[in-house]
Amino acid sequence: MQLSHARSASRDTAGRPQAAGVPGTLPEWDLSDLYASSADPALETDLARAEADAKAFHAALAGRLPGISGDDLAEAIRRYEAIEEVLGRVMSFASLSFATDAQDPANGRFLQTMQERVTAISSNLLFFTLELNKLEEADLEAKLRSPALERFRPFLRDLRVFRPHQLSDEVERLLHEKEVTGRAAWNRLFDETVAAMEVKVGGEVLNVSGALNKLSDPDRAVRQAAAKGVSAAFGEKARLFTLITNTLAKDKEIVDGWRKYPRPGSSRNRANMVEDEVVDALVTAVIESFPSLSHRYYAMKARWLGLPKLQHWDRNAPLPDEDSSDIPWDAARDRVLSAYSGFSPELGRIGREFFEKPWIDAVLRPGKASGAFAHPTVPSAHPYLLLNYHGKARDVMTLAHELGHGVHQVLASGHGYLMSGTPLTLAETASVFGEMLTFRAVLDAETDPKRRRALLAGKVEDMLNTVVRQIAFYRFETLLHDARRKGELSREEIGALWMQVQTESLGPAFEFTPDYEIYWSYIPHFVHTPFYVYAYAFGDCLVNALYGVFQEGSVPDFQNKYMDLLRAGGTLRHKELLAPFGLDASDPAFWHKGLNVISGFIDELERADG
């Protein structure tokens, strides 16, 4: 199966609320380490060289893999990797340029043009992964006696996971070449539509990111106005978002049917190198824990806010004792780096490099991608982080989260373009662990009981957003894709599924107004990366279990073993990575171990509340 040249950015969800206010000077990234601009001569030179190399690669090797030696196959993989990395560099630059300002038509045209050119070039490479998967096991094992080829065993292992779902060469090429006018085009339409939207909140006109940030304003009237504004803005576009959702769900159904995936989430699980049964165990454990987690916590929050029922615009309301003062960027940086360095000097050193060099874009501006993400780009360059920094405590946690991704990507880059990428289920490990390190450092330094309670409650809310909310998203996607197989869904039918899972997951403390039915439409993951969202819950529960082992002190040399886990990149599976810590994600008890950490925090809040 072909690789994605626009390496997956680890996107934060819109579930991470951030309040308004822009403190101090914020950093902007400089993409010139990739290319100086879209007119950079080096860009055209790289594309021309990649095209020539890809054609030569096809001419030399197409149809000949069974007859070559292990050493020659290793050399072929190195050639393939070198071409892929050039194409990955081009697409990283194009996608990051688009994320910088999606409202600029030139950025949209540039991204589309690069997608088309890269797709055309990579069509010459498509045969290679298809033919690798056609090799018989005995033949491949014989070739793997070559030490040079043995290095690429993890790449071949992960590639062959898709062997049962591979189609004929002609169909694979058709799907590959039509991607630019299929899913990718619908993704672009969604992004450009959301980037251009204006949301009226009281007397202000905001972009979507700014309006969503108002949902954590201390003033309930402001939160309500923001909620109504978001509902109205997305309601006006409901027909378009309903069409996009129906089209992409049907497109996935068709492709999954041809590839014989047993259910809609199976292809994502294969890409994550995790078994369907492991994901089922996670989802079941979280759903069973809704009453003891979210239902219990939000009942407390309603009491704290003095409300008989919470509305959806109260979910991220700050608590009465919460410190709502602005946190300058430099202070946020110092908090995160201090926590990282306290755990591991190497972790802190790599993290500091992101601040010393222009690798972060935190400025608020029209047209910029909402939320936050870390983009690995290519091993010959470095990752970039995108945030929308509003100066609140949760923004500091978002910074800690994305920096974790960035450090992880740096540590794994030594494995090269084909094997440095980490499956989504493990990609959240360093980010959530970085958040936990930062949170514990801040909490341990706080002595005031009321502010300590507010910090703890804020952490619980972040964990509920990461675990309960994301599993609710996953359940929504599952219900939607299953329903779409029976026919096109109306806006009302999609809204009903959304309200069902929100009611189940958030519990009786909430009273949902009808306008909340449209809120499914602003979640980019449903469009860009179907069934991605459970990876957040996977990562959070995994880190909770991992951090518990760290606190217990039961694993000698924990820090070095943790750094080795990050350095492994995509070369090891979750069983191998967790074994040194005595953990096993295939054991259902593992997930309850992680969920019990959240439950324990809620227990502590209940004791303080009593």
Side-chain angles (χ1 to χ4, degrees), residues 241-252:
F241 291 129
T242 300
L243 175 62
I244 292 172
T245 299
N246 272 289
T247 302
L248 290 176
K250 185 63 179 178
D251 178 79
K252 180 169 175 51

Side-chain angles (χ1 to χ4, degrees), residues 89-152:
R89 177 181 286 265
V90 170
M91 287 310 305
S92 292
F93 179 70
S95 61
L96 290 173
S97 298
F98 183 72
T100 303
D101 185 0
Q103 284 184 318
D104 186 344
N107 287 339
R109 289 194 298 272
F110 176 60
L111 176 61
Q112 181 67 18
T113 300
M114 292 302 99
Q115 284 177 328
E116 292 175 3
R117 290 195 65 180
V118 166
T119 298
I121 292 169
S122 60
S123 290
N124 294 289
L125 304 175
L126 185 59
F127 80 92
F128 188 60
T129 52
L130 298 177
E131 291 190 17
L132 281 174
N133 267 352
K134 291 178 183 177
L135 293 175
E136 296 298 329
E137 289 293 340
D139 184 16
L140 182 59
E141 283 300 320
K143 295 179 191 299
L144 280 164
R145 296 191 188 107
S146 158
L149 185 60
E150 176 64 27
R151 174 180 174 268
F152 291 104

Side-chain angles (χ1 to χ4, degrees), residues 37 208 219 285 375 521-522 576:
S37 70
V208 171
D219 188 333
H375 194 306
S521 60
Y522 83 82
E576 299 163 301

Side-chain angles (χ1 to χ4, degrees), residues 308-504:
K309 288 284 186 180
L310 297 174
Q311 298 293 341
H312 68 87
W313 55 81
D314 297 316
R315 183 174 60 84
N316 293 315
L319 300 179
D321 298 319
E322 187 171 323
D323 183 2
S324 60
S325 60
D326 289 344
I327 301 171
W329 175 259
D330 289 352
R333 174 200 62 203
D334 293 346
R335 286 186 192 182
V336 174
L337 289 180
S338 174
Y340 274 47
S341 299
F343 174 76
S344 161
E346 184 181 10
L347 205 65
R349 177 186 59 77
I350 297 171
R352 189 169 291 107
E353 194 171 8
F354 282 81
F355 296 93
E356 294 172 346
K357 298 177 180 178
W359 295 358
I360 304 176
D361 194 308
V363 175
L364 307 171
R365 58 174 173 270
K368 181 180 175 181
S370 62
F373 64 74
H375 194 306
T377 73
V378 292
S380 57
H382 55 78
Y384 284 96
L385 310 185
L386 180 143
L387 301 93
N388 286 276
Y389 189 79
H390 295 264
K392 300 306 176 187
R394 282 185 171 123
D395 290 328
V396 180
M397 291 299 110
T398 298
L399 174 60
H401 182 101
E402 300 306 337
L403 187 65
H405 281 306
V407 170
H408 192 178
Q409 291 158 359
V410 169
L411 286 167
S413 64
H415 293 290
Y417 187 79
L418 296 180
M419 295 184 295
S420 60
T422 308
L424 293 178
T425 43
L426 297 169
E428 294 301 322
T429 303
S431 55
V432 179
F433 199 89
E435 274 191 85
M436 184 65 85
L437 289 173
T438 305
F439 168 72
R440 293 302 316 190
V442 172
L443 184 69
D444 292 345
E446 184 56 67
T447 56
D448 182 84
K450 289 184 178 180
R451 294 185 63 171
R452 185 179 173 86
R453 185 191 75 165
L455 285 169
L456 191 59
K459 180 59 176 175
V460 168
E461 290 199 12
D462 281 345
M463 296 172 96
L464 294 179
N465 279 332
T466 304
V467 177
V468 170
R469 186 167 170 79
Q470 303 310 319
I471 293 303
F473 284 175
Y474 178 82
R475 178 155 166 71
F476 167 75
E477 283 189 283
T478 301
L479 293 172
L480 185 145
H481 282 259
D482 287 346
R484 179 64 180 91
R485 295 187 173 198
K486 301 172 185 176
E488 184 163 304
L489 301 174
S490 67
R491 165 191 174 175
E492 291 76 16
E493 288 172 318
I494 298 175
L497 296 176
W498 173 258
M499 295 294 267
Q500 175 187 335
V501 298
Q502 294 302 306
T503 301
E504 291 172 350

Side-chain angles (χ1 to χ4, degrees), residues 60-255:
L61 290 166
R64 300 173 187 172
L65 296 192
I68 67 175
S69 68
D71 286 350
D72 288 342
L73 184 55
E75 177 59 28
I77 294 175
R78 279 192 288 269
R79 288 177 62 187
Y80 172 79
E81 182 176 48
I83 301 168
E84 286 283 358
E85 181 156 355
V86 172
L87 300 180
R89 177 181 286 265
V90 170
M91 287 310 305
S92 292
F93 179 70
S95 61
L96 290 173
S97 298
F98 183 72
T100 303
D101 185 0
Q103 284 184 318
D104 186 344
N107 287 339
R109 289 194 298 272
F110 176 60
L111 176 61
Q112 181 67 18
T113 300
M114 292 302 99
Q115 284 177 328
E116 292 175 3
R117 290 195 65 180
V118 166
T119 298
I121 292 169
S122 60
S123 290
N124 294 289
L125 304 175
L126 185 59
F127 80 92
F128 188 60
T129 52
L130 298 177
E131 291 190 17
L132 281 174
N133 267 352
K134 291 178 183 177
L135 293 175
E136 296 298 329
E137 289 293 340
D139 184 16
L140 182 59
E141 283 300 320
K143 295 179 191 299
L144 280 164
R145 296 191 188 107
S146 158
L149 185 60
E150 176 64 27
R151 174 180 174 268
F152 291 104
R153 182 183 285 273
F155 164 68
L156 294 166
R157 173 203 66 196
D158 291 351
L159 183 68
R160 289 173 78 82
V161 166
F162 298 97
R163 193 182 185 202
H165 309 288
Q166 185 167 297
L167 304 175
S168 69
D169 292 3
E170 293 78 10
V171 174
E172 291 287 357
R173 180 166 184 171
L174 174 65
L175 292 174
H176 177 70
E177 294 186 1
K178 278 188 64 63
E179 177 72 11
V180 294
T181 57
R183 173 170 290 277
W186 290 100
N187 285 185
R188 177 186 171 190
L189 175 62
F190 175 86
D191 287 345
E192 292 188 359
T193 300
V194 173
M197 286 173 63
E198 295 181 340
V199 182
K200 294 180 181 178
V201 180
E204 293 184 274
V205 177
L206 304 172
N207 62 13
V208 171
S209 178
L212 291 172
N213 286 317
K214 293 284 188 182
L215 294 176
S216 58
D217 194 276
D219 188 333
R220 193 175 192 225
V222 172
R223 296 198 304 273
Q224 182 175 1
K228 298 296 184 184
V230 170
S231 299
F234 279 87
E236 289 175 3
K237 303 284 186 184
R239 185 175 180 182
L240 174 60
F241 291 129
T242 300
L243 175 62
I244 292 172
T245 299
N246 272 289
T247 302
L248 290 176
K250 185 63 179 178
D251 178 79
K252 180 169 175 51
E253 178 194 348
I254 292 169
V255 175

